[in-house]
Each structure stands twice: as C-alpha cells, then as structure tokens.
Amino acid sequence: MARLALLSVSNKTGLIDLARSLVEEFDFDLISSGGTAQALKDAGLPVTKVADYTGSPEILGGRVKTLHPRIHGGILARRDVSQDITDLENNQIRPIDLVVVNLYPFEETIAKPGVTLAEAVEQIDIGGPAMLRASSKNFAHLTVLCNPAQYSEYLEELRQNNGEASLEFRQKAALKGFLHTASYDQAIASYLAEGQQYTLSGTQLQSLRYGENPHQPAAWYQTGITPTGWTAATKLQGKELSYNNLVDLEAARRIIAEFTDTPAATIIKHTNPCGTALGSTISEAYQKAFNADSTSAFGGIVALNRPIDAATASELTKTFLECVVAPSCEAEAQEILAKKSNVRVLTLADLSSGPKDTVKAIAGGFLVQTSDDIIADTSQWQVVTERQPTDSELAELLFAWKVCKHVKSNAIVVTSDRTTLGVGAGQMNRVGSVKIALEQAGEKAKGATLASDGFFPFDDSVKTAAAAGITAIVQPGGSLRDKDSIIAANELGLLMVLTGVRHFLH
C-alpha cells in the first residue's frame, strides 16, 4: 500500500513542488483540507479531501476539519505495538507517514493596525497545533514538517535513504514542531495577557565562538518563525559573525535607520559611533564618516543606507574593518571587496525595522521597555535663546540630535556639515563627556553644533562649549537650572534649542 501524507498548510510556499515529488517520486497518497486541497487539485495532483477521508464534513465555519480519530489515530499509532495496529484495522484507519502543517498567521494578524480581538481569535489555530504536537510526539514512526524551508531537506533525505527518513532526521523535525507550537502559543498568550505576562523564546541559529569574552559561551537565537532582521541578512563573504559583531551591527542599524532621505554612513566601535555622516553619494558619506575619527575606525563596523557601489567598495578596502552592511551590493563592488576576504560583508534590505521592545536580564528577572524609536519632530522643539536658527542650522541640529540618541549616556556629540567631529560617550558626568567631544573635534569645533542626550544641570558645559567655538546647542531641557544655561547661551551669543525629549542609553 502507498504511504500516506497529510498536507494542511496556511503558508503554501513550496507546497506544489513538495507534493509533486511525494506523488511522482515516492508514491505517496495525499490527503488534505480546505484551501490546501484546492491548491493541490488546481495543480493537477491527486488528493483526497480530509472530509471525504474521515466521512465527516468540515463544520463550524472551518473550525473543525482535522480533529477526527481517523486523522489522529493515523498520526499517533505506534507501528511496533500490536494493539495499536489492531485498533487501526478495526477502525479502517491508515497510518500516516508524513504530516506537513503550518499554522494560521496569528502574529501577522495582530501586527495589523486596528485588528480587533475577534479577528485575532479567529486566527488562533486549533487543529494545526494538535496535529503538530501529535506528529512530533510520534516521531519514532513518522515525519512532521512545519516550515517550507524543510521540504528540500526532507526530499533529499528520502533520496539518500531509499525513500525513508532516518530516526535522527525525524527527531530533529519533531523538535522543530514543538518549538513552532511553543512560539505560537507564546504569541497568543502575550497578546491576551495585555502586558501582564511577557514571554520570550527563540530557536538557536548557531553557537557562537564565545560571547563578549573568550570565557563566555554564547549562541544566536531567532525569534518567530519567519526570519527577520539579522536572521534575514545575507552574508556575501567573510568569517562567521561573532557575538560582538552582532551587537555592534545592531547598534549600527539603529543609527542608520535614522537617515532615509540622504546617503548616510556610520562606523561603530563598541556600540558607539566613532563617525557618522551624510553625503551627496554613499561614497562621500563613508569618507566623511571615516575621516571623522580614522583612528577609531580601524576594526570598526560600517553601516550604509545605500547599495555599495565600486567607489565605496574601493574606500572600504583601504582599512581593516570587521563588518560592512548595506541594503545591497553591486557586482563590481563585490569583486573589489573580495580582495579583503576576511571582512564580513552583509546585505539587509530592510535596515529600518527593529525590535519593538528591549529586554535586559537582572538578578531574579528581567526588564522590558519599548524601544526608543520616537521620531524627532523639530516643529515641537523650543528655541530658548535670542538667536534663532537658520534652516541650515536647524538641519545640523537635527543631525546631531539623531546621532546623539545612539551614543551611550552621558552622551555629547559635536557635528558640522552633517558629520560627527567629536563624540563623548558613557562618562560618569556630562562635563567629562563635553571635554572629550570637544578635544576630539579640536579646531573644527569652531562654528560647530553640540548635542547632549540629557539636560545641563549647570551652565559650565555651555561655557566650555562656547570657549571651544561651538555656536549652537541642542539638548532636552528639563533641569531646574535650565535658566542658567539659557542665560549663559545668550550672553555668549549661542543658539540653544530644547527638544523636550531625553535619550538616555545605558
């Protein structure tokens, strides 16, 4: 008797090719439900509808399709238990050798603006998880596939093992099934909990050589079923990504996501930008960012918001870099970069989308906050000095503010011509950060702009900035002594703008 495969999928990617190989190459019979059965029929493949196989029609608007003893008996039967075989024979149930199931798109549904609770509830799959769990439990006797990415691997497994899947393969596939249902249930629970419960789970993509330091084991996990963010990136060349690479790449992505309308480049060291710039071309933007602090750029992480072209690739090869990421890479540029085979070159089409929450572990638990993804709105800024900004000065203030947002607090950023000149990061007091940023900027601080991620509690930093030649300052405001800083700015002829928004980054 031909083997039996049950196919019931929401995501029909690769379905037809898989089903055709099962029928034509490995002599499977197919049973399927709903839209999956129709898709197979439309492709000219022989398929029996689940309702015809079980003798029970789909009811309750499709809520009940596969919840039937002929389905679950065929899935759960142990081929080496005589009573199970007898039960199958007495109830005219065929053992099922392959179950291909993926689930209703619950996460995609709740991500839509304005989705109602009723709409979300209808996307809670019942039959699918039941089949996945049952199939995964009985991996000793059948195979379960829950992701289209597994299809080609499964077919190759059959080809290499005389039409059979090995126990090792079946067990690994079962694990993926349980992880799939666990992630699915987690998404539902988190949605219904409305913030009262926060769960986090992921599937390990790979073990990393180590974490921040060689004595710390580390691994990279993917959240959700569909690859997004760095799990969806393509590595064109270079060594395996390290823990620190990934942390720095994410910091670079957050900065570059601030700039969409103009070519922009940023170079990251230890999650802080050592150079960020805008340019008329991506090559110009990178050269400006590199020249902002060429010493620190050595061994840095580069993010570009435009495709890598030949001119930019040539510049990138002039120094040692750990990683480069851009939306894409032109063929000629890729040939140039190949000369530096150790540099990790990645493409990620969507550099703007990041996690909605940030999570930090603490003893006995963890902290969750929404990501700091507020968009700067200069119309809400308050000019508090007598001197008013020109359009050009306002654009420079906005650039400095966007970069400062992504520097470890206490953060001070000095810029000119949409290029960072000095960055004071992570100091224990703001005066120290000001001195570091100004010292790094040097003579270029004359006529430059200064941004601070937090308010100035005293006027000393304003006076220090003015003495170095700074002409414009952007800061959140909110200190009880804001008035002192404003008076100092007026006396020294500075422009000062308060954003009303703070951007501490710890």
Side-chain angles (χ1 to χ4, degrees), residues 357 367 412 473:
D357 301 322
L367 307 174
I412 298 291
I473 293 176

Side-chain angles (χ1 to χ4, degrees), residues 109-115:
T109 298
I110 62 175
K112 295 176 183 177
V115 66

Side-chain angles (χ1 to χ4, degrees), residues 247-281:
V247 171
D248 284 337
L249 280 167
E250 177 60 13
R253 186 204 61 77
R254 289 196 298 265
I255 291 184
I256 214 67
E258 296 281 353
F259 307 103
T260 56
D261 298 334
T262 304
T266 189
I267 306 173
I268 298 293
K269 288 293 288 291
H270 306 296
T271 73
N272 283 304
C274 56
T276 302
L278 307 184
S280 58
T281 66

Side-chain angles (χ1 to χ4, degrees), residues 274-497:
C274 56
T276 302
L278 307 184
S280 58
T281 66
I282 195 64
S283 178
E284 181 190 16
Y286 170 70
Q287 289 179 68
K288 289 170 66 177
F290 177 80
N291 292 331
D293 185 355
S294 58
T295 300
S296 298
F298 184 85
I301 306 288
V302 175
L304 311 168
N305 71 347
R306 295 290 188 273
I308 306 173
D309 55 22
T312 309
S314 295
E315 292 298 323
L316 291 166
T317 59
K318 291 180 179 179
T319 191
F320 167 65
L321 299 170
E322 285 279 353
C323 303
V324 178
V325 63
S328 62
C329 183
E330 297 176 3
E332 185 179 358
Q334 195 167 341
E335 290 181 11
I336 295 169
L337 289 167
K339 298 173 185 177
K340 292 274 190 174
S341 59
N342 284 336
V343 64
R344 303 160 178 89
V345 179
L346 297 91
T347 58
L348 180 58
D350 183 9
L351 283 164
S352 62
S353 298
K356 295 179 181 179
D357 301 322
T358 59
V359 182
K360 286 192 176 184
I362 60 172
F366 56 88
L367 307 174
V368 181
Q369 65 173 352
T370 59
S371 295
D372 186 7
D373 55 8
I374 188 170
I375 298 173
D377 181 2
T378 57
S379 69
Q380 301 300 309
W381 290 5
Q382 182 184 6
V383 181
V384 292
T385 50
E386 297 168 1
R387 191 158 79 77
Q388 299 294 304
T390 64
D391 289 343
S392 178
E393 285 177 320
L394 189 60
E396 190 70 44
L397 287 163
L398 179 60
F399 171 79
W401 182 243
K402 285 182 174 182
V403 176
C404 191
K405 172 183 176 181
H406 300 283
V407 176
K408 292 287 186 179
S409 190
N410 288 310
I412 298 291
V413 173
V414 176
T415 75
S416 181
D417 188 29
R418 316 302 187 269
T419 305
T420 55
L421 303 177
V423 177
Q427 298 305 300
M428 287 62 74
N429 64 78
R430 199 158 298 278
V431 174
S433 289
V434 170
K435 289 180 178 178
I436 290 171
L438 291 173
E439 181 180 349
Q440 189 180 33
E443 290 298 311
K444 293 180 180 179
K446 291 184 170 63
T449 294
L450 182 147
S452 172
D453 68 339
F455 60 64
F456 295 117
F458 305 101
D459 62 7
D460 49 1
S461 290
V462 175
K463 292 177 179 178
T464 301
I470 295 295
T471 59
I473 293 176
V474 56
Q475 55 126 328
S479 169
L480 293 175
R481 304 187 64 166
D482 274 348
K483 187 176 180 180
D484 293 349
S485 293
I486 296 169
I487 290 173
N490 278 323
E491 289 177 348
L492 297 165
L494 271 61
L495 162 67
M496 182 178 287
V497 173

Side-chain angles (χ1 to χ4, degrees), residues 11 16 52 56 71 83 125 133 157 173 183 278 315 326 347 373 379 385 389 462 495:
N11 178 1
I16 303 305
D52 295 332
S56 297
I71 298 298
Q83 185 59 53
D125 203 330
R133 288 179 58 79
E157 177 78 6
S183 176
L278 307 184
E315 292 298 323
T347 58
D373 55 8
S379 69
T385 50
V462 175
L495 162 67

